[in-house]
Structures are given as structure tokens and as C-alpha cells.
Amino acid sequence: MNYNRVVCFDLEMCCWNENGVGTTGEIIEIGLAEIDLSAGEIVKRAQYYVKPEHDEISLFCTELTGITPKKIEKQGRPLAEVLKSMVKNFGGPHKIYASWGRDDQILINECQQKGIDVPFKEFLNLATLYRIQNRLKDKRIGHRAAQEGKGIEWEGRQHSGYVDAYNLAKLALTML
């Protein structure tokens, strides 16, 4: 296990807002940003678009994420192919992966449903770690609010996996 490197990732999924209730479906984007803890820097970034097998991208989803059906049609690949690229470029089970919240469970569940190997074994939920470090107990806090609370400027459009992973990596460097 390489404890000097952490791969921060963020998922965007198909999503809908019906009668004020939000729901999500299949993964459509995986953003990644790898940090080197000894150097204290972000060393690698990537963005992968995933072509969903069953779900369609709603207008609500496009407005939230900026991801259009056309973009997925042109750049999206099946989840299994995307995960192979991810493991090739960032490493698999020998790396620690981290996200804000339970993106690990979303990815694990979709991998299980599709018969795909999960690309990692070690996972950190940085939202939980942040709450522990800042003695927030039962209070939940969003990624952007936590980052700005630490005086770290948010860069880019929120709800882009690529942007969110990069911002998470900046925050993770102050936490790990």
C-alpha cells in the first residue's frame, strides 16, 4: 500500500428532480486528483465520462452538472473501460482512494450490479474525518462550505467531478 499517495475522486450521476425530490442513477463522470503527501502537492488529474447503460441524462442533470447527453454520446465509455483506465493511470488496490461522503459505496454498488471489480480496497471518507477533526459531531457540512471554512478558495464549477476532485485534493492536503 502506498500511504504517501491518495487519489481523491468525485462522482457525478444521472439525476432528476421530481416534485422537489432529488434522485440519482448511474455514474456519468468520474473526476480524480492524486496528491503526494510528502511533497504536499497535487500530482495528477483526470476526468472520465461514463456512458450509462440504462439511465438518460435529464435537463435537470445537465443544468446541475453541465454534462449533456451529446457530451456523453461523444466522450462516454462503459464503466468497466473507464475503471480500467483509472487503475492504469492512478493505480488500483495499492492506492488509497478518498471522497467527500460515500462515493465509494455508490461506485461499489454500481460495480456489483454490473459485475465489475471495484478498483480500490482502501477508502477514506474525508467528510467524516473533517467532522472529527473539527468536533462537529452530528452536524453535516458540505464539501464547499468545509473548504471555504478553512480559507481555501473554491475553483471552478461545482458539480463537475473533475473540479470537485481537484478542490477536494486541495482540502485533503490540509487534512492528511
Side-chain angles (χ1 to χ4, degrees):
M1 181 66 57
N2 185 344
Y3 292 100
N4 190 44
R5 296 283 182 106
V6 176
V7 180
C8 297
F9 73 100
D10 185 77
L11 304 176
E12 298 301 327
M13 287 82 65
C14 289
C15 53
W16 303 269
N17 186 351
E18 296 173 13
N19 301 321
V21 177
T23 57
T24 59
E26 291 177 277
I27 297 166
I28 55 173
E29 181 193 9
I30 303 175
L32 302 114
E34 184 173 339
I35 58 176
D36 181 323
L37 295 174
S38 63
E41 63 185 16
I42 298 167
V43 294
K44 193 184 309 185
R45 295 175 69 186
Q47 176 180 45
Y48 300 104
Y49 289 110
V50 180
K51 192 174 283 191
E53 292 178 14
H54 307 289
D55 294 335
E56 293 186 16
I57 298 168
S58 67
L59 179 59
F60 171 79
C61 189
T62 295
E63 289 171 352
L64 182 68
T65 66
I67 299 170
T68 63
K70 191 174 199 172
K71 183 175 282 185
I72 292 298
E73 189 59 40
K74 285 184 173 185
Q75 298 177 38
R77 296 182 294 146
L79 182 62
E81 283 183 31
V82 166
L83 295 181
K84 283 180 186 171
S85 294
M86 195 170 106
V87 168
K88 179 183 175 197
N89 294 318
F90 288 86
H94 66 282
K95 288 277 183 74
I96 299 168
Y97 280 70
S99 73
W100 190 266
R102 296 313 312 251
D103 280 10
D104 64 317
Q105 284 300 296
I106 294 167
L107 184 57
I108 288 167
N109 291 341
E110 192 163 327
C111 284
Q112 288 173 342
Q113 290 168 3
K114 295 180 176 178
I116 302 168
D117 290 335
V118 177
F120 53 80
K121 302 259 186 276
E122 293 286 334
F123 173 77
L124 292 172
N125 180 339
L126 294 175
T128 298
L129 181 59
Y130 184 92
R131 286 195 310 269
I132 291 167
Q133 288 176 343
N134 293 281
R135 308 289 189 259
L136 297 178
K137 296 192 182 190
D138 297 326
K139 184 180 178 194
R140 295 186 60 156
I141 185 168
H143 170 199
R144 185 170 184 159
Q147 182 166 320
E148 290 174 345
K150 291 289 183 185
I152 303 166
E153 182 183 348
W154 185 273
E155 295 179 53
R157 176 193 177 121
Q158 197 170 7
H159 300 296
S160 157
Y162 184 70
V163 169
D164 290 353
Y166 172 70
N167 281 298
L168 184 59
K170 292 190 327 180
L171 179 59
L173 283 169
T174 70
M175 296 172 61
L176 303 174

